[in-house]
């Protein structure tokens, strides 16, 4: 084992990782990036099939992004947004408001998806506390969905519904009302879309009927619950959820941390259903995967509830040291220009379809239970028995084994439970999709013995 691997094992504590396992493993140490490839210290090349945890959009060395960051660095790397404004943050806020669904008019910056959601939770809460009508102060509760994931800070964990990630922290978190999601492949009602007429939404409807006047906001990941294992919402779900929020007079928060910036084929996933949320969280692809930056966009009505004399204390008491970082904002501006100049969304429409066709070929493998895709985000759920949809034993770590086998074929993927996530950069080529899906077929067959 090389010196770097040894020092990694000795000093670095990796996220979401059993370190006993890690310390027995042979870590791959990434040194460089070239296009959609990661290159390790031994010179091995890996196709970045998960966009470095869903952040990278245009490859690792896009010249426009590199230039924009260098040019910004020649001016200034960072200055605070507390008491000062900065050139690139103004430009980013304006561009985002123009791009976002109509009605979102203000931009609050933070640094990552969890903080963008933390900001959304606190803004929604404080909005009702100071809106001025006496009943609204009762709106202190949040509705989130089964299997929800909104980040790892405690507010976001309170919304979270993934047993293995969240349950051990419950004593530290606030209680959330939990509505059904739309895991059509394993529909708990035994129904099929579209004949079901979105029966699963009756759960949200029931919660709002009972608790509607206590609810500050309903929180959803629009179009695809990605960290839950790529669970897409059926057509019409988000639109109807928006109407239910309106009827209950509550806010809708959409978490576009994973789905935003072209992932689903539209700039923002809400656009698929013509929905404007009251608050929208953005992160991950915001800088095309070059630097940490996040934003929470809100409506004018929400913003106005925070206005008043300083002494009234209605301001939003929240902010991070690196909020609106200038280098990261420069990357976002370059990112948005790349979307226009390279007609990225048109390309994603084509490559997304192509990925879908190539993934369909996996259906011939008996352990492939369900393939789910929106744009360039996809999941392949593996099952022990396709007819009964019986799962593998968790201890088998079947999707993990497939991802390990993929690594030996030069592709980096990561599992979520028994689902293999496929989420390459938006710049992925058809040849790279061929390589990825071909290797995936071989690895699933090899690992499952079929
Ligand atoms: C939907 C969603 N929300 C929030 C987060 C948290 O983002 P971050 O890891 O940047 O804190 C993630 C991260 O995977 C996510 O997928």
């Amino acid at each position: 084992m090389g010196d770097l691997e040894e020092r990694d094992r000795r000093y670095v504590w990796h996220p979401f990782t059993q370190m006993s396992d890690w310390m027995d493993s042979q870590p791959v140490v990434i040194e460089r990036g070239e296009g959609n490839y990661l290159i390790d210290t031994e010179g091995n090349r890996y196709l970045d099939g998960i966009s470095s945890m869903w952040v990278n959009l245009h490859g690792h060395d896009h010249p426009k992004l590199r230039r924009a960051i260098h040019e910004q660095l020649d001016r200034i790397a960072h200055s605070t947004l507390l008491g000062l404004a900065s050139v690139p943050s103004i430009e980013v806020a304006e561009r985002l408001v123009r791009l976002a669904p109509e009605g979102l008019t203000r931009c609050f910056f933070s640094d990552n998806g969890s903080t963008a959601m933390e900001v959304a939770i606190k803004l929604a809460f404080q909005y009702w506390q100071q809106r001025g009508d006496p009943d609204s102060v009762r709106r202190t509760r949040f509705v989130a969905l089964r299997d929800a994931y909104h980040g790892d800070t405690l507010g976001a964990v309170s919304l979270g519904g993934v047993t293995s990630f969240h349950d051990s922290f419950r004593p530290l978190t606030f209680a959330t009302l939990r509505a059904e999601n739309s895991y059509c492949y394993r529909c708990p009602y035994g129904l099929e879309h579209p004949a079901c007429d979105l029966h699963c939404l009756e759960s949200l409807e029931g919660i709002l009927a009972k608790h509607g006047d206590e609810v500050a906001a309903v929180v959803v990941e629009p179009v695809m619950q990605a960290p839950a294992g790529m669970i897409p919402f059926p057509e019409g779900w988000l639109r109807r959820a928006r109407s239910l929020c309106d009827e209950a007079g509550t806010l809708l928060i959409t978490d576009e941390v994973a789905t935003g910036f072209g992932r689903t084929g539209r700039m923002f996933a809400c656009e698929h259903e013509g929905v404007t949320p009251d608050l929208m969280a953005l992160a991950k692809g915001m800088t095309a995967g070059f630097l940490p930056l996040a934003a929470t966009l809100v409506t004018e009505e929400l913003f106005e509830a925070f206005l008043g004399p300083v002494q009234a204390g209605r301001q939003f008491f929240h902010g991070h040291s690196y909020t609106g970082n200038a280098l990261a904002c420069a990357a976002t501006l370059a990112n948005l220009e790349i979307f226009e100049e390279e007609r990225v969304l048109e390309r994603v429409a084509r490559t997304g379809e192509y990925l879908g066709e190539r993934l369909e070929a996996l259906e011939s493998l008996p352990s492939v239970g369900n393939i789910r895709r929106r744009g360039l985000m996809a999941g392949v759920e593996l099952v022990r028995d396709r007819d009964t949809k019986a799962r593998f034993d968790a201890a088998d770590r079947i999707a993990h084994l497939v991802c390990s086998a993929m690594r030996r074929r030069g592709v980096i993927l990561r599992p979520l439970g028994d689902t293999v996530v496929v989420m390459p950069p938006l710049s992925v080529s058809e040849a790279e999709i061929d390589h990825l899906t071909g290797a995936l077929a071989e690895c699933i067959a090899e690992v499952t013995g079929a």
Side-chain angles (χ1 to χ4, degrees), residues 54 112-115 117 149-152 221 226-227 255 257-258 283-284:
W54 314 353
N112 60 68
S114 307
T115 53
M117 285 305 295
Y149 177 85
H150 298 290
D152 295 331
E221 294 158 65
D255 175 349
V257 170
K284 290 204 187 271

